[in-house]
Amino acid sequence: MPVDDAPSTVEALLRTAAAADARDARTVLSRIDGVRLVELVVTQTELAVDESRPRPAGIDAVGDLARAAIEVMGLPQEAALELDDDEDLGPPTVTGWELVTVAVDELEAATLTVSVPSWTLALVAFVDDTTEDGGIERWAVAAAADGRLVSARITMRDHLADAELHEVVLTRDPAALGHDATLGAALRASLRDAACGA
């Protein structure tokens, strides 16, 4: 970047860094096809529980493992560099983590206040419900930084059981998510705001 084009304020510098992070996230996502994206969302949906405390609903993030190791797990940069993927090796290695836990009726509002790292690949929101036989039904809606949206419904006998996938939608049109359209659009907007350094 030429000196004349360098950001002149801290706020401008942060916006420039956030925009670069978002571009990097979209580049990483270009290596993740639709099937793999659905797998990532379903996996994070399945793991979005904490046995030590209830999580009736919440929003989790998915990001590149090497970046998350530094930013989320607090590993030194040298250690995290060993986790970097060679782009020629195929899909990147990613990880997920909790951003916020809320009551079911607060989930949509949480998209307006949740702090989203600008390098996030996807946001996954979920809601738990109890099935007639006492099992768990979990609904998830996810937005990726490249604009793709996913909704999924899984069931489990309990929090430790394997999940069974019942429904999944992969789209770029929020309307295709049906009653989850508003939540999908809100998650996508949260990612856009993060990319702008908002």
Side-chain angles (χ1 to χ4, degrees), residues 6-196:
S8 58
T9 66
V10 172
E11 291 77 11
L13 180 61
L14 292 174
R15 285 194 299 272
T16 299
D21 282 344
R23 283 193 302 274
D24 289 345
R26 291 191 295 271
T27 299
V28 171
L29 281 163
S30 70
R31 297 162 54 199
I32 299 176
D33 64 17
V35 172
R36 178 65 177 144
L37 180 62
V38 168
E39 289 175 350
L40 293 177
V41 170
V42 171
T43 298
Q44 187 59 36
T45 301
E46 184 177 358
L47 297 175
V49 298
D50 188 334
E51 295 174 38
S52 64
R53 62 185 172 84
R55 288 194 78 197
I59 300 173
D60 292 355
V62 175
D64 177 75
L65 177 59
R67 184 70 183 265
I70 299 169
E71 305 283 356
V72 180
M73 303 171 200
L75 293 180
Q77 188 164 359
E78 312 82 68
L81 287 175
E82 298 175 7
L83 301 171
D84 279 333
D85 293 303
D86 184 330
E87 290 192 7
D88 295 331
L89 297 180
T93 303
V94 302
T95 190
W97 65 96
E98 175 185 347
L99 289 181
V100 65
T101 296
V102 295
V104 172
D105 61 355
E106 297 172 345
L107 183 58
E108 194 172 309
T111 63
L112 301 174
T113 57
V114 68
S115 179
V116 179
S118 55
W119 47 274
T120 300
L121 299 179
L123 293 177
V124 182
F126 74 93
V127 172
D128 265 4
D129 200 1
T130 304
T131 62
E132 292 182 359
D133 60 2
I136 299 164
E137 183 175 50
R138 184 170 298 148
W139 296 82
V141 179
D146 62 0
R148 288 180 288 177
L149 299 165
V150 177
S151 68
R153 181 173 67 90
I154 63 174
T155 57
M156 298 171 283
R157 289 192 311 277
D158 55 54
H159 288 302
L160 299 178
D162 290 336
E164 183 177 346
L165 178 63
H166 293 274
E167 298 175 21
V168 67
V169 175
L170 172 64
T171 183
R172 288 185 177 273
D173 179 9
L177 301 181
H179 66 276
D180 292 323
T182 301
L183 180 56
L187 291 170
R188 193 156 65 180
S190 295
L191 284 166
R192 279 199 304 266
D193 289 346
C196 295

